[in-house]
Amino acid sequence: MNSNQDSIVVEVDTAMRDLLEREDTDHDKLITTDDRGPKDFPLGKHGNRIFDVRGVYHLSNLLQELFLAQKQGLKRATIESSRLTEDPVHRLHRLITTSWWDNLTRRLDADGIERAAPDPKMKSSLRIYVPPGAPEQFDYYSAIAKARPAINLDVQWLPRGEMTAEFINSINDKPGVLALDMEPVQLDGQPGTKQLKGVPFIVPGDRFNELYNWDACFCALGMLDNHLPVVKGIVKNFIFEIKHYGKTLNANRSYYLGRAQPPLLTWLALKTFQRTKHEPDALDILRSAILAARKEYHDWWTSTPRLDEETGLSRYRPIGKGSPPECRPISFAHVFMPYTKKYGMNLEEVFDAYNAGTITEPDLDTFFDHDRAVRESGHDTSNRVEGVCADLATVDLNCLLLQIENDIAATIEAHFGGSLMIPEGFRCSGDNVNAVESSGPWRERAQRRKTSIDKYFWNEQKGMYFDYNTVTRRQSTAESVTSLWPLWCGAATNDQAARLVKDGLPIFECIGGLASTSERTRGKVNEVNIQKQWDYPHGWAPHQVIAWDGFNSYGYHDEAVRLAYRWLHTITETFRKWNGTVCEKYDVTQLERSHYVDAEYGNQGRNFKYAPQEGFGWTNGSYIYGLSFLSDEAKTALAEGVPWEKFYQSGGKARRS
């Protein structure tokens, strides 16, 4: 960009039109490396000087600034040169922390329900389901429905008692959002008058407009420095879900009532407490989080059918019936097609008949038992778990449960004097009215699970951890990056950690970060073995973050920093070259088009025009968190587009002091 001036005033609509005509040669309303324009745009004159914008990155920044001005209704706008030439690391950090988190924040109240309740995945009415233990919320939403008939809000009770697969299936044709936590707030100018307000939460973005469990936790990791009220809100909403729905849900939609997701509540609650312990409600929130995690642990994760009695390990086994309603029939064409000839029906007719229960096929039942488990695991889908997930005691789930066991024990000792009363709303099956929890049993549970992780998951010959099939009583042979999770929860010995660095890490480490599985586990892609989104060559934020923390905790700081740099380089280069794109997952084996992932559901975060408004939740979080591992020298290299190998060979110091 050439100008001695710091800014220039432009006609927004004219500048945007001319810019797109000149530079957006593929007409996708973005300026990227795919465009074949001159990459040189004369924005205007300031005195006798031309304000010239050059290069894909600067031009795409200009497009974004013009679009944002247009959104504000501005006809003329001042374009600051510093915004166009802002280094990409600083720009991405700024957008995430000052704009994107706010754009991804939701509340289920009068001000926010029209934004938070719609479901981009389903065509349905605006509907909210309220649990029987929250009558004040039912009254609140009913009042909204009455006062604002134009929004057609349908307010429904959920039934009392145990949630069954049959009930969940019965409302799949009437999907709705599930109520979350609310709290009374003082109305301005009306002393003594309070009104309910929705507790804030974060959504992943794009087609995912609800509170997802493990997505939100990895978002929160990048929000602790500047969005603490939302992070506290996430914790409170998880507590509400466990009290009223029995678990931290896959997400707060009616069709997810029988399905959880990887449990991370204690981990997030403790991180939140460390940042908020000076606040008057911090200890109460921590207490409720520990009580809720205890309830979920006993009543969901270590109860039948999830607990395998022989090993003492747990499995993903949600409740449900039929195919997952958030998926279209075409997603399961390969499953249902063989039955079209048998029943003389087309694909959609077989799909509808099976879900209605008018045809019964045990093989389909088994397939969808595993499919629901895959979705509960968060790894939907992967060859590692496809067709077998409900039978697997997975490394990742049992590492999370070990973390919960240790967290509960440590928190009871450190903050509650060694014992914790169990109030009525948090009691588990079998608790009496005088139930008290102490740390000792949790230490014992943690030790038993650690022993089982070593016995059933560790493979001494290969130097890695593998899932264990509780039906065949054999280790899986699938190589998954979750093999590194025992480092994160402290389950590995020092010798095992060294083996993971030597034998495990090289299988998954790629130029752009960690791949989810090995190429061998993915296999050759063809019409039968389609590319799955949680398989090689794709990398995802949670796997990166857990690996960084795991290596760091065992003293492998160089590995943690190297992996963080690789992942952040992938994100930064995509952001720089592709009009600010930040997406759900990346092909970590290459850097030119790493966001071009079209497996299964495509790649969320690419669906925008002119300027990104959200990025993608947990990728945003991993970026902010990953920067905390790096030195200023490494951040400068990232901004300049230097790949890890070149930075390392130059003698650069990557680790933050």
Side-chain angles (χ1 to χ4, degrees):
M1 178 169 196
N2 295 331
S3 174
N4 291 333
Q5 307 300 326
D6 293 328
S7 63
I8 187 172
V9 177
V10 301
E11 300 291 334
V12 174
D13 293 346
T14 301
M16 192 165 176
R17 182 197 64 217
D18 293 347
L19 176 64
L20 289 169
E21 286 181 357
R22 182 181 176 96
E23 299 291 347
D24 179 24
T25 60
D26 60 6
H27 308 296
D28 63 354
K29 298 180 175 58
L30 303 171
I31 297 175
T32 73
T33 56
D34 271 352
D35 289 306
R36 294 294 175 260
K39 305 293 191 293
D40 185 348
F41 182 71
L43 184 57
K45 290 185 177 180
H46 193 103
N48 294 322
R49 297 183 179 277
I50 295 175
F51 208 89
D52 206 22
V53 184
R54 296 177 179 172
V56 169
Y57 176 62
H58 295 160
L59 289 165
S60 70
N61 287 349
L62 173 59
L63 176 61
Q64 293 168 49
E65 295 300 320
L66 290 170
F67 174 72
L68 294 175
Q70 200 174 64
K71 273 192 70 176
Q72 296 174 40
L74 300 178
K75 296 300 181 183
R76 307 183 81 222
T78 300
I79 302 298
E80 303 286 345
S81 63
S82 60
R83 281 294 170 90
L84 305 188
T85 60
E86 185 178 16
D87 88 59
V89 173
H90 184 275
R91 183 176 179 87
L92 180 49
H93 183 281
R94 177 178 61 79
L95 287 173
I96 292 171
T97 56
T98 65
S99 175
W100 293 358
W101 287 141
D102 291 335
N103 292 341
L104 290 168
T105 298
R106 304 284 187 272
R107 294 177 188 264
L108 276 172
D109 56 22
D111 294 330
I113 196 164
E114 290 185 72
R115 187 181 182 202
D119 187 352
K121 300 181 297 304
M122 310 279 276
K123 293 180 180 179
S124 63
S125 303
L126 198 66
R127 182 177 293 111
I128 187 164
Y129 286 95
V130 181
E136 68 287 350
Q137 291 197 24
F138 188 88
D139 293 342
Y140 176 86
Y141 294 121
S142 296
I144 293 175
K146 183 177 180 180
R148 292 154 62 182
I151 69 172
N152 293 314
L153 178 62
D154 181 14
V155 185
Q156 294 286 331
W157 281 114
L158 287 174
R160 293 187 180 276
E162 184 178 351
M163 192 60 59
T164 65
E166 289 71 24
F167 171 76
I168 298 169
N169 191 58
S170 75
I171 61 171
N172 279 343
D173 62 345
K174 300 180 286 291
V177 70
L178 299 175
L180 294 172
D181 199 15
M182 303 189 80
E183 53 193 6
V185 296
Q186 180 72 50
L187 291 178
D188 292 339
Q190 300 181 45
T193 303
K194 293 186 177 182
Q195 182 173 309
L196 289 178
K197 187 172 182 62
V199 171
F201 59 97
I202 203 80
V203 301
D206 212 309
R207 67 194 289 261
F208 302 114
N209 190 40
E210 46 272 318
L211 174 62
Y212 281 81
N213 175 7
W214 75 322
D215 289 75
C217 291
F218 290 99
C219 292
L221 202 57
M223 302 172 74
L224 287 166
D225 286 337
N226 49 35
H227 283 73
L228 263 179
V230 182
V231 177
K232 287 174 63 177
I234 294 168
V235 173
K236 290 178 180 179
N237 280 312
F238 286 162
I239 294 166
F240 181 93
E241 285 189 335
I242 293 171
K243 287 181 71 174
H244 294 281
Y245 308 123
K247 52 198 164 292
T248 45
L249 299 166
N250 187 156
N252 65 313
R253 295 286 178 191
S254 56
Y255 44 83
Y256 292 141
L257 277 165
R259 197 191 308 167
Q261 253 196 346
L264 287 151
L265 175 56
T266 58
W267 175 75
L268 179 59
L270 285 166
K271 288 186 177 296
T272 306
F273 179 76
Q274 289 304 313
R275 299 298 185 97
T276 62
K277 55 187 174 184
H278 60 283
E279 298 178 10
D281 62 346
L283 193 61
D284 287 338
I285 294 173
L286 180 62
R287 178 186 290 105
S288 293
I290 294 300
L291 291 167
R294 172 189 179 272
K295 179 176 175 59
E296 182 184 40
Y297 175 94
H298 285 306
D299 286 350
W300 188 258
W301 293 116
T302 60
S303 67
T304 304
R306 285 157 287 280
L307 177 67
D308 176 56
E309 297 284 354
E310 182 174 323
T311 61
L313 298 169
S314 291
R315 304 164 288 205
Y316 291 110
R317 283 195 175 181
I319 61 174
K321 187 177 180 181
S323 65
E326 72 272 22
C327 297
R328 296 172 295 174
I330 194 64
S331 302
F332 299 107
H334 63 295
V335 178
F336 284 106
M337 194 61 72
Y339 298 95
T340 57
K341 185 175 181 180
K342 177 177 179 179
Y343 290 102
M345 300 176 178
N346 64 33
L347 179 64
E348 290 208 7
E349 288 171 339
V350 173
F351 180 85
D352 292 339
Y354 174 70
N355 285 313
T358 56
I359 64 172
T360 302
E361 289 291 343
D363 287 347
L364 285 178
D365 293 343
T366 299
F367 174 86
F368 285 112
D369 284 343
H370 290 304
D371 183 80
R372 280 187 292 273
V374 170
R375 296 174 193 283
E376 184 171 63
S377 79
H379 293 81
D380 47 322
T381 64
S382 164
N383 280 349
R384 166 199 167 213
V385 289
E386 190 81 357
V388 71
C389 192
D391 295 338
L392 292 180
T394 64
V395 175
D396 38 301
L397 175 57
N398 286 280
C399 285
L400 293 172
L401 293 176
L402 175 60
Q403 186 68 39
I404 289 169
E405 290 159 348
N406 281 322
D407 284 345
I408 291 177
T411 304
I412 290 174
E413 291 169 358
H415 300 290
F416 302 111
S419 65
L420 191 60
M421 290 289 297
I422 312 300
E424 182 177 358
F426 293 104
R427 288 180 194 142
C428 306
S429 303
D431 281 345
N432 60 47
V433 294
N434 298 313
V436 177
E437 192 61 271
S438 61
S439 61
W442 290 96
R443 295 291 185 198
E444 294 169 6
R445 291 183 185 104
Q447 185 55 55
R448 287 196 298 270
R449 191 175 303 277
K450 189 174 181 180
T451 300
S452 292
I453 287 172
D454 187 60
K455 179 179 179 180
Y456 294 103
F457 294 157
W458 177 252
N459 187 306
E460 180 62 27
Q461 181 181 356
K462 296 182 178 179
M464 290 171 56
Y465 292 90
F466 292 85
D467 301 329
Y468 181 79
N469 191 307
T470 61
V471 174
T472 65
R473 299 296 168 189
R474 292 184 177 182
Q475 271 189 357
S476 168
T477 59
E479 295 163 336
S480 168
V481 75
T482 55
S483 179
L484 304 177
W485 286 35
L487 299 174
W488 175 81
C489 67
T493 65
N494 288 333
D495 287 343
Q496 288 168 332
R499 289 291 305 280
L500 284 171
V501 172
K502 175 178 175 289
D503 299 323
L505 178 57
I507 293 175
F508 308 108
E509 184 174 358
C510 301
I511 191 171
L514 291 167
S516 296
T517 66
S518 67
E519 187 174 9
R520 184 194 67 81
T521 295
R522 191 273 310 268
K524 185 177 180 180
V525 174
N526 52 44
E527 290 182 359
V528 176
N529 181 39
I530 64 169
Q531 175 69 60
K532 314 286 195 309
Q533 63 172 355
W534 282 89
D535 279 341
Y536 176 94
H538 304 144
W540 295 72
H543 289 162
Q544 318 300 319
V545 169
I546 283 181
W548 305 339
D549 281 352
F551 284 121
N552 226 18
S553 68
Y554 277 78
Y556 292 98
H557 305 301
D558 290 344
E559 285 75 8
V561 169
R562 182 178 75 240
L563 292 171
Y565 189 102
R566 289 192 187 282
W567 178 248
L568 268 59
H569 180 65
T570 299
I571 297 171
T572 306
E573 288 307 286
T574 302
F575 178 80
R576 181 207 308 273
K577 297 175 181 178
W578 300 94
N579 207 117
T581 295
V582 173
C583 48
E584 180 186 35
K585 54 188 173 286
Y586 296 86
D587 176 349
V588 294
T589 63
Q590 50 95 5
L591 296 175
E592 292 305 311
R593 294 173 177 267
S594 56
H595 64 305
Y596 269 59
V597 178
D598 292 319
E600 298 185 301
Y601 314 112
N603 203 1
Q604 309 307 310
R606 289 174 55 187
N607 186 29
F608 69 90
K609 305 297 181 186
Y610 308 115
Q613 302 289 289
E614 302 174 337
F616 192 82
W618 60 15
T619 309
N620 300 345
S622 72
Y623 195 83
I624 300 301
Y625 186 60
L627 288 173
S628 70
F629 284 78
L630 301 184
S631 67
D632 288 343
E633 182 182 357
K635 293 175 188 176
T636 299
L638 273 182
E640 293 172 352
V642 179
W644 168 258
E645 283 73 18
K646 184 176 180 180
F647 177 73
Y648 179 74
Q649 290 165 8
S650 72
K653 303 298 182 184
R655 184 179 168 192
R656 184 177 180 180
S657 300

